Amino acid sequence: MNIRIIRKKIKSVTNVKKITKAMQLVSAIKMKKAQQVAVDGRPYQEEIEKIIRAVSPKIDPSLSPLIAQTNDKIERKNLAIVIASNKGLCGSFNFNLLRFIVKNIDFKNTDFIIIGKKANLLSKFSAHIMADYSSNIPINNVSAIFEFALNKFLDKTYGRINLFHNQFISTIQSSPVMTTLLPINFSQKVTDEKTVEEKTSEYLVEPDPKQIIDSLLRSFVEEKLRFALIQSEAGEHSLRMMAMKNATDNATDVIYNLTLVRNKIRQEKITSELLDMVTAKESVESN
């Protein structure tokens, strides 16, 4: 291998390393902000769901069309809302989500709303994409997405609306999950004394359940969608930072190995020139 080619490769890899290092730093800053929002919003989301679960056994299903109706036996298509990223270079973030969707969904009986340009890969599986709400700030479209999905559910176009997204767990881990947004069904097993106490408690709803239950459940579902977007964004920036860190470390290793090869070739060249000089000198002396 020519030493000039090796120098060009070292220079190219060094430039790539500068880019990946810069992207790592940018992603680290975005990650901290997104993680803070996700962590701060989690207690509220868990507490509001806990309250609604506690009150739900006392709610008459007829008070809101969002509550699961036991007498509705008609089979309808499902609607899936998929939250992916707009950009790549974030490791297995989108790949794990798409693989999870393929394993847990019937494409013939499901239509899709996608958030994030990378979710367009679903079209390769013959998915029917109803709407694309991809944008640079997807959280601004939460209300529009919710209204669109809600209207489709209320006019009985779809019998179930599921949400697919990456749940933020830690800086190095995000897990794809599926959540049923509509209809709302809070049926759960009683597993501890605390849950038993909550189920047997009496609640006073003011001014009137008819006035607040439906609007409360609508707000609850919309906030659930918004929180899923926040978690997805936190996971995306975290995995992108880790991916860029790994790329930077790999570039460092490549530069190190190329430098060793360059030094070896240079040393061989110097040794060869010295041997030529010694041979020439001995030849002159012998003559």
Side-chain angles (χ1 to χ4, degrees), residues 77-221:
K77 295 184 69 176
N78 297 329
L79 178 65
I81 302 175
V82 180
I83 303 176
S85 66
N86 284 320
K87 300 177 181 179
L89 300 177
C90 49
S92 59
F93 181 82
N94 294 303
F95 175 77
N96 288 342
L97 177 64
L98 294 176
R99 183 173 59 179
F100 178 78
I101 293 172
V102 171
K103 288 182 177 180
N104 293 276
I105 211 164
D106 179 13
F107 284 88
K108 294 182 179 179
N109 195 39
T110 305
D111 293 335
F112 292 84
I113 295 176
I114 61 174
I115 308 171
K117 296 178 181 178
K118 293 300 178 180
N120 278 313
L121 292 173
L122 288 170
S123 59
K124 294 185 178 180
F125 298 94
S126 302
H128 181 216
I129 299 176
M130 289 283 296
D132 185 352
Y133 285 91
S134 302
S135 65
N136 293 330
I137 310 178
I139 201 167
N140 292 340
N141 298 326
V142 170
S143 297
I145 298 169
F146 172 71
E147 289 296 330
F148 179 84
L150 179 64
N151 292 334
K152 291 293 183 181
F153 178 79
L154 293 179
D155 64 17
K156 299 189 182 302
T157 302
Y158 301 104
R160 183 178 297 273
I161 298 177
N162 296 320
L163 175 64
F164 292 87
H165 68 98
N166 279 296
Q167 182 181 21
F168 171 72
I169 299 176
S170 65
T171 302
I172 60 175
Q173 185 179 8
S174 292
S175 175
V177 294
M178 181 187 75
T179 305
T180 300
L181 290 181
L182 294 171
I184 298 174
N185 189 356
F186 290 115
S187 59
Q188 63 178 6
K189 297 180 180 179
V190 181
T191 55
D192 52 28
E193 295 180 358
K194 188 176 181 181
T195 309
V196 173
E197 182 181 353
E198 290 175 354
K199 281 186 171 291
T200 57
S201 300
E202 294 291 335
Y203 294 90
L204 177 63
V205 181
E206 294 183 349
D208 187 358
K210 293 182 180 180
Q211 298 181 29
I212 66 172
I213 291 300
D214 187 59
S215 60
L216 175 64
L217 293 179
R218 290 176 186 237
S219 299
F220 169 70
V221 175

Side-chain angles (χ1 to χ4, degrees), residues 18-68:
K18 291 179 181 178
I19 295 172
T20 56
K21 183 65 175 179
M23 293 181 67
Q24 176 187 343
L25 296 176
V26 172
S27 296
I29 296 173
K30 292 182 178 181
M31 178 199 68
K32 289 182 179 179
K33 294 180 180 179
Q35 281 187 1
Q36 191 63 42
V37 174
V39 171
D40 291 346
R42 185 172 293 167
Y44 169 79
Q45 189 67 27
E46 292 176 351
E47 191 65 26
I48 190 67
E49 184 166 351
K50 176 182 173 183
I51 293 172
I52 294 180
R53 281 185 180 276
V55 178
S56 61
K58 307 296 182 181
I59 297 177
D60 184 0
S62 63
L63 294 178
S64 173
L66 307 186
I67 302 176

